[in-house]
Amino acid sequence: DGGITQSPKYLFRKEGQNVTLSCEQNLNHDAMYWYRQDPGQGLRLIYYSQIVNDFQKGDIAEGYSVSREKKESFPLTVTSAQKNPTAFYLCASRQTGVAQPQHFGDGTRLSIL
Amino acid sequence: AQSVTQPDIHITVSEGASLELRCNYSYGATPYLFWYVQSPGQGLQLLLKYFSGDTLVQGIKGFEAEFKRSQSSFNLRKPSVHWSDAAEYFCAVVDNAGNMLTFGGGTRLMVKP
């Protein structure tokens, strides 16, 4: 089945440690996105990529980094510079075209030990 | 800048009762609007979308939404709620390029037996 796979489902980080969240899609979508969700809040955009080897900052990019070396993969690194990383992280993708909706993975919950 | 407001943080309805979730948007041009649903610990699932044409749009799971330009609203409705509809619902608007989704803060729906 086509879809978006995020791994791991749960992730724990020690203080001062970088961690990488995986997002893979087999939908052949051009664009991919990373969002952060905090309890009781909507989703906030961290980074997005419209094509391979190109990406743009969203509203809350500080303390995060991404890469887009392959069309199907868009990993997110939460760096030690991100002082409040505990959150639910959602990856999405969509096909090119303004009418195309974003499709979401099942998320990764990151917690600080 | 575009924005979305969902005035109701929590709503409780009885099973079998009708439902209306409110969404107000702010956008300078013709908006492209979405409703998504999120079950606990899961990603977002697209319920329906509005781009143009008929202002009453039908979605999955028996949901519909009505676009009212004069009121800047895109309210979600369902005639008879089922216990499985308990979830969080997000309204979103996308920019002209189709890239930047702006979400409302969400409405958590609880269903009483």
Side-chain angles (χ1 to χ4, degrees):
Chain A
D1 285 341
I4 301 171
T5 301
Q6 291 189 241
S7 61
K9 182 77 173 173
Y10 300 95
L11 187 58
F12 298 92
R13 194 191 90 167
K14 296 180 180 179
E15 295 284 350
Q17 188 180 50
N18 293 353
V19 291
T20 298
L21 284 60
S22 171
C23 178
E24 303 277 332
Q25 54 98 0
N26 60 4
L27 300 168
N28 200 34
H29 286 172
D30 296 309
M32 297 186 74
Y33 307 80
W34 274 106
Y35 292 91
R36 170 180 172 139
Q37 186 177 26
D38 294 283
Q41 299 188 31
L43 281 70
R44 292 182 290 169
L45 183 65
I46 304 173
Y47 270 98
Y48 68 101
S49 167
Q50 298 182 69
I51 56 172
V52 174
N53 293 322
D54 187 46
F55 46 83
Q56 288 77 41
K57 293 181 179 180
D59 299 322
I60 56 165
E62 185 174 351
Y64 300 96
S65 66
V66 294
S67 63
R68 186 88 187 275
E69 298 177 359
K70 299 185 297 182
K71 185 175 183 178
E72 59 270 23
S73 178
F74 191 40
L76 173 74
T77 297
V78 184
T79 74
S80 57
Q82 172 51 243
K83 297 307 179 188
N84 184 24
T86 297
F88 191 52
Y89 291 87
L90 285 161
C91 178
S93 70
R94 74 178 195 99
Q95 191 52 276
T96 303
V98 68
Q100 298 299 322
Q102 292 185 21
H103 299 267
F104 287 81
D106 284 338
T108 293
R109 185 166 301 281
L110 175 62
S111 302
I112 299 301
L113 291 176
Chain B
Q2 60 203 51
S3 66
V4 177
T5 302
Q6 295 179 245
D8 304 304
I9 298 175
H10 295 98
I11 282 185
T12 300
V13 299
S14 297
E15 190 168 17
S18 63
L19 172 70
E20 182 169 28
L21 303 182
R22 296 185 291 165
C23 171
N24 295 102
Y25 67 89
S26 174
Y27 190 66
T30 300
Y32 300 143
L33 296 157
F34 303 85
W35 274 100
Y36 285 88
V37 61
Q38 183 182 35
S39 298
Q42 300 294 315
L44 275 67
Q45 181 183 20
L46 179 68
L47 285 175
L48 48 79
K49 61 184 180 182
Y50 170 79
F51 288 109
S52 63
D54 195 350
T55 56
L56 184 65
V57 294
Q58 302 297 320
I60 63 171
K61 303 185 179 187
F63 285 93
E64 65 178 27
E66 186 171 13
F67 171 66
K68 293 185 178 180
R69 184 185 299 276
S70 61
Q71 298 178 20
S72 297
S73 69
F74 188 55
N75 294 349
L76 182 72
R77 302 194 295 245
K78 186 170 185 178
S80 177
V81 170
H82 188 262
W83 64 266
S84 60
D85 294 324
E88 188 148 23
Y89 292 79
F90 292 96
C91 181
V93 64
V94 70
D95 66 349
N96 283 339
N99 265 319
M100 301 293 287
L101 258 185
T102 300
F103 287 87
T107 297
R108 181 164 298 279
L109 173 66
M110 290 171 280
V111 180
K112 293 189 300 184

